[in-house]
mmCIF file of all heavy atoms in Angstrom:
data_model
loop_
_atom_site.group_PDB
_atom_site.id
_atom_site.type_symbol
_atom_site.label_atom_id
_atom_site.label_comp_id
_atom_site.label_asym_id
_atom_site.label_seq_id
_atom_site.Cartn_x
_atom_site.Cartn_y
_atom_site.Cartn_z
ATOM 1 N N ALA A 438 -8.232 10.876 -5.136
ATOM 2 C CA ALA A 438 -8.218 11.529 -6.450
ATOM 3 C C ALA A 438 -7.095 12.567 -6.511
ATOM 4 O O ALA A 438 -6.400 12.706 -7.520
ATOM 5 C CB ALA A 438 -9.570 12.181 -6.715
ATOM 6 N N LEU A 440 -4.284 12.487 -4.719
ATOM 7 C CA LEU A 440 -3.013 11.753 -4.803
ATOM 8 C C LEU A 440 -2.800 11.238 -6.228
ATOM 9 O O LEU A 440 -1.693 11.303 -6.768
ATOM 10 C CB LEU A 440 -3.025 10.581 -3.812
ATOM 11 C CG LEU A 440 -1.806 9.671 -3.832
ATOM 12 C CD1 LEU A 440 -0.546 10.430 -3.410
ATOM 13 C CD2 LEU A 440 -2.002 8.454 -2.921
ATOM 14 N N THR A 441 -3.865 10.748 -6.818
ATOM 15 C CA THR A 441 -3.782 10.195 -8.175
ATOM 16 C C THR A 441 -3.286 11.253 -9.148
ATOM 17 O O THR A 441 -2.387 11.012 -9.957
ATOM 18 C CB THR A 441 -5.172 9.702 -8.604
ATOM 19 O OG1 THR A 441 -5.634 8.760 -7.651
ATOM 20 C CG2 THR A 441 -5.117 9.053 -9.964
ATOM 21 N N ARG A 442 -3.861 12.442 -9.029
ATOM 22 C CA ARG A 442 -3.474 13.506 -9.953
ATOM 23 C C ARG A 442 -2.009 13.901 -9.733
ATOM 24 O O ARG A 442 -1.277 14.155 -10.689
ATOM 25 C CB ARG A 442 -4.394 14.711 -9.738
ATOM 26 C CG ARG A 442 -4.534 15.596 -10.937
ATOM 27 C CD ARG A 442 -5.812 16.421 -10.921
ATOM 28 N NE ARG A 442 -6.209 16.903 -9.612
ATOM 29 C CZ ARG A 442 -5.566 17.856 -8.929
ATOM 30 N NH1 ARG A 442 -4.496 18.407 -9.427
ATOM 31 N NH2 ARG A 442 -5.998 18.227 -7.744
ATOM 32 N N ARG A 443 -1.562 13.923 -8.466
ATOM 33 C CA ARG A 443 -0.170 14.287 -8.189
ATOM 34 C C ARG A 443 0.800 13.237 -8.724
ATOM 35 O O ARG A 443 1.942 13.543 -9.021
ATOM 36 C CB ARG A 443 0.073 14.394 -6.671
ATOM 37 C CG ARG A 443 -0.740 15.427 -5.966
ATOM 38 C CD ARG A 443 -0.381 16.828 -6.342
ATOM 39 N NE ARG A 443 0.911 17.254 -5.863
ATOM 40 C CZ ARG A 443 1.216 18.534 -5.602
ATOM 41 N NH1 ARG A 443 0.301 19.471 -5.756
ATOM 42 N NH2 ARG A 443 2.411 18.866 -5.197
ATOM 43 N N ARG A 444 0.360 11.988 -8.784
ATOM 44 C CA ARG A 444 1.296 10.899 -9.058
ATOM 45 C C ARG A 444 1.146 10.287 -10.442
ATOM 46 O O ARG A 444 1.816 9.329 -10.768
ATOM 47 C CB ARG A 444 1.150 9.810 -7.991
ATOM 48 C CG ARG A 444 1.741 10.195 -6.653
ATOM 49 C CD ARG A 444 3.252 10.357 -6.745
ATOM 50 N NE ARG A 444 3.842 10.660 -5.452
ATOM 51 C CZ ARG A 444 4.250 11.871 -5.086
ATOM 52 N NH1 ARG A 444 4.114 12.884 -5.908
ATOM 53 N NH2 ARG A 444 4.792 12.064 -3.905
ATOM 54 N N GLY A 445 0.187 10.790 -11.202
ATOM 55 C CA GLY A 445 0.306 10.369 -12.584
ATOM 56 C C GLY A 445 -0.832 9.668 -13.262
ATOM 57 O O GLY A 445 -0.602 8.986 -14.236
ATOM 58 N N GLY A 446 -2.034 9.759 -12.839
ATOM 59 C CA GLY A 446 -3.057 9.084 -13.632
ATOM 60 C C GLY A 446 -4.397 9.752 -13.484
ATOM 61 O O GLY A 446 -4.622 10.466 -12.525
ATOM 62 N N PRO A 447 -5.301 9.498 -14.409
ATOM 63 C CA PRO A 447 -6.638 10.070 -14.304
ATOM 64 C C PRO A 447 -7.511 9.293 -13.332
ATOM 65 O O PRO A 447 -8.559 9.744 -12.930
ATOM 66 C CB PRO A 447 -7.180 9.950 -15.733
ATOM 67 C CG PRO A 447 -6.442 8.794 -16.318
ATOM 68 C CD PRO A 447 -5.102 8.742 -15.633
ATOM 69 N N CYS A 448 -7.078 8.112 -12.907
ATOM 70 C CA CYS A 448 -7.941 7.211 -12.153
ATOM 71 C C CYS A 448 -7.037 6.260 -11.374
ATOM 72 O O CYS A 448 -5.962 5.923 -11.847
ATOM 73 C CB CYS A 448 -8.799 6.438 -13.166
ATOM 74 S SG CYS A 448 -9.812 5.158 -12.479
ATOM 75 N N PRO A 449 -7.433 5.843 -10.162
ATOM 76 C CA PRO A 449 -6.564 4.928 -9.396
ATOM 77 C C PRO A 449 -6.336 3.596 -10.091
ATOM 78 O O PRO A 449 -5.495 2.828 -9.685
ATOM 79 C CB PRO A 449 -7.318 4.722 -8.088
ATOM 80 C CG PRO A 449 -8.273 5.854 -7.999
ATOM 81 C CD PRO A 449 -8.607 6.246 -9.414
ATOM 82 N N TRP A 527 2.608 3.322 -9.682
ATOM 83 C CA TRP A 527 2.707 4.534 -8.847
ATOM 84 C C TRP A 527 1.960 4.356 -7.540
ATOM 85 O O TRP A 527 2.407 4.787 -6.481
ATOM 86 C CB TRP A 527 2.192 5.768 -9.604
ATOM 87 C CG TRP A 527 0.706 5.763 -9.847
ATOM 88 C CD1 TRP A 527 0.068 5.337 -10.961
ATOM 89 C CD2 TRP A 527 -0.317 6.201 -8.936
ATOM 90 N NE1 TRP A 527 -1.292 5.467 -10.805
ATOM 91 C CE2 TRP A 527 -1.553 5.998 -9.571
ATOM 92 C CE3 TRP A 527 -0.313 6.748 -7.655
ATOM 93 C CZ2 TRP A 527 -2.773 6.308 -8.968
ATOM 94 C CZ3 TRP A 527 -1.523 7.056 -7.053
ATOM 95 C CH2 TRP A 527 -2.737 6.838 -7.712
#
Side-chain angles (χ1 to χ4, degrees):
L440 177 64
T441 304
R442 205 157 37 71
R443 299 292 290 208
R444 286 295 183 257
C448 174
W527 69 265

